[in-house]
Amino acid sequence: MVRVTYIGHSCILVASNGTQVLIDPFIEGNPLAKPPTRGFHPKLILVTHAHRDHLGDTIAISKKSKAKVLTTVDLASYLSAKGVDTIAANFGGKVPFDFGWVKLWPAIHSSTTPDGVVLGMAASFVVSIGGKSIYHAGDTSLTSDMELIGEEKPIDLACLPIGGTYTMGIDDAVKAVGMIKPRVVIPIHYGTFENIKVDPEEFSSKVEKAGFRTKTVILSPGEQLELP
Ligand code: NI
Ligand code: MN
């Protein structure tokens, strides 16, 4: 069984068989974030890109929990210069782990560090863990590449940004669902800031109206979803 915790914004914790994978840990800087109060020990951190609301507390958490950080080669070299234990990969690359694998896909988005280092393109991830396949889109616009993501292995859960302004908004995210065809979708990257305040129920009803065989689950920060 795979348990997914929505910590808030784009931060997701995936747990299976005692292994925790943390994605885009924007926690300390997000007053709305609800991290687990106990049993929080990620062994791997995935970072889609260097923006503050995704890189977040990566450096502090990785040093504290001895978690490795898997990200693009560009962000990995920036982080390893700061003493972080990194795994560098790039688009199309699939990195094996004892729990499964992680594959990097491009996201249509930029990646500049909080201190102004321009690192190029942002990533998104497919995580294969506990027999399930989870797609975390990071920050992205809609792109027809999304048709390809579920071809290799059907996606059980997709985490898609819906807030607009910096990423695709609700209508484009609904189109993304049609291309990725996940069993379940959870909306992310909305509500955190004034300019990404949208109604996730509107996303949910538009996905339903489109007739896709995808179930929308809206999680509040701190809530969990189990993939049986
Ligand atoms: Ni961003
Ligand atoms: Mn963002």
Side-chain angles (χ1 to χ4, degrees), residues 9-10 49 51-54 109 138-139 166-167 189 193 196:
H9 197 56
S10 289
H49 64 293
H51 290 157
R52 188 181 65 88
D53 58 320
H54 298 261
H109 194 73
D139 281 357
Y166 307 111
T167 67
H189 209 272
F193 316 121
I196 59 170

Side-chain angles (χ1 to χ4, degrees), residues 21-25 44-48 68-70 102 125 127:
V21 179
L22 179 65
I23 308 173
D24 282 0
L44 178 68
I45 303 172
L46 309 179
V47 185
T48 59
K68 289 190 182 238
V69 177
L70 169 56
V102 176
F125 298 105
V127 183

